[in-house]
Amino acid sequence: AYSDVQARKLMIAARLMRAADFPGGPRKIEVADGENFAQAVHRAALQLEPFPWILYRAKPGQQTATYRINQFGFRGPEITAPKPPGCVRVLMLGGSAVWSVSASRDNTTLPACLERELSARWPGTRVEVINGGYLGYVTFQELLLHQLHAAALQPDVVVTFDGFNDFYTALVLGRAGENDYYHWLRPGLATAMDDRQAAWRTAVFATRRMLRGTAIYEGLAWLRRCFARPVPARADDALVRAASALWRDNLITLGLAARQRGERCFFFLQPALGIGAKQLTPDEQARLAVANRKVENYLPALTRYFDAARAQLPVLASATGGCAADLSGVFDDRQETIFSDHCHFGDAANAIVAGRMADLIAREFQPLKTTSAP
């Protein structure tokens, strides 16, 4: 229930969102039959809820034109549990790059692309890839999510695609193993963020998108740049070693637990803007400049973390009996704009990453001959 003042404010926000239109964006607003636009605002705002051990997740049962949240709080269709006979099930874990915040719809996310690629390499086999990623998740959350849901999901293969969140948190907070996104999110979760809070957050996002490129927006952005001070990057030797070792150890623990269950593990170090040899386009250079304005000495510091992580990959593979591969250079030969910000990319790039993953997975793992598609 809303007061008259709150209702008027919400409708103003709704009109702003209607003007913004969100062409193809992940929060496109569509008014369904029998609802007004304010109700559509509520429906389109991705809502979170506190969740034991992993801190937070998307609230199950949400659905918009571009994403659906299933009964486990994962992006994608409802999941059959226990696993159907004859199905090769892959559980993919990670942060927002796995959730695929820049994907235009559920069937262009990174896990959805991987499902198509593996199906092409295993003809006649029913393949299901579950999107177990979420915004801000770090490796301790991936580990716990696997522990919470593996028995019900019964994956044959576990894939992780991560690194950036663990290292960016250490770089900004100066502490290894924490979740930087949770520090920002915690006040809302403390009150179990309701529809109104979610609607206002979405309305603010919509207003910014609508004004982007206008004189007002650019003027405010200029003022903000003038007065904002970048956060100093923390990348001393001890912290880099601690963060990369904790990233490795969390994944080793996950891999050993998976191996006990008979699951095969594949660990992939994700790409990030400026990491690797990709020739950046003007758009990507501008996005990297934004990251450098927010965090002093950002790229050299982040590069140190990724270099340390690469050195851990052989240890990770040896300890778990799995496959550990560096995909931070997966876009090195691409000339077009790939990154939509410091670590996210859209539909076409998801297909590129999924193809490389599928090559490595298919080389190391073959489903049983008796497994067949319906």
Side-chain angles (χ1 to χ4, degrees), residues 41-185:
V41 171
H42 292 229
R43 179 173 53 78
L46 180 62
Q47 297 177 52
L48 313 182
E49 65 178 9
F51 197 74
W53 306 111
I54 56 175
L55 304 180
Y56 61 89
R57 70 172 185 177
K59 189 178 294 185
Q62 303 176 67
Q63 185 169 356
T64 73
T66 50
Y67 62 79
R68 175 181 180 179
I69 306 300
N70 62 36
Q71 76 270 36
F72 287 91
F74 301 154
R75 181 175 184 175
E78 297 296 305
I79 299 170
T80 302
K83 181 181 64 176
C87 174
V88 173
R89 178 170 279 176
V90 179
L91 174 61
M92 193 170 189
L93 302 171
S96 51
V98 171
W99 198 89
S100 303
V101 295
S102 296
S104 62
R105 53 196 182 277
D106 283 348
N107 65 359
T108 59
T109 63
L110 179 55
C113 291
L114 180 60
E115 183 175 303
R116 286 192 293 275
E117 293 287 343
L118 288 176
S119 296
R121 286 161 178 77
W122 298 330
T125 300
R126 177 180 176 182
V127 180
E128 182 183 39
V129 180
I130 295 173
N131 187 339
Y134 199 67
L135 283 65
Y137 273 16
V138 292
T139 47
F140 87 82
Q141 290 167 297
E142 298 170 31
L143 165 63
L144 293 174
L145 189 147
H146 176 265
Q147 293 294 300
L148 287 169
H149 295 307
L153 297 176
Q154 301 174 300
D156 301 285
V157 176
V158 177
V159 173
T160 68
F161 183 68
D162 52 33
F164 180 86
N165 288 345
D166 287 72
F167 306 144
Y168 185 80
T169 296
L171 187 152
V172 172
L173 298 181
R175 301 185 296 275
E178 295 194 28
N179 181 315
D180 177 61
Y181 185 72
Y182 181 65
H183 279 260
W184 171 81
L185 191 65

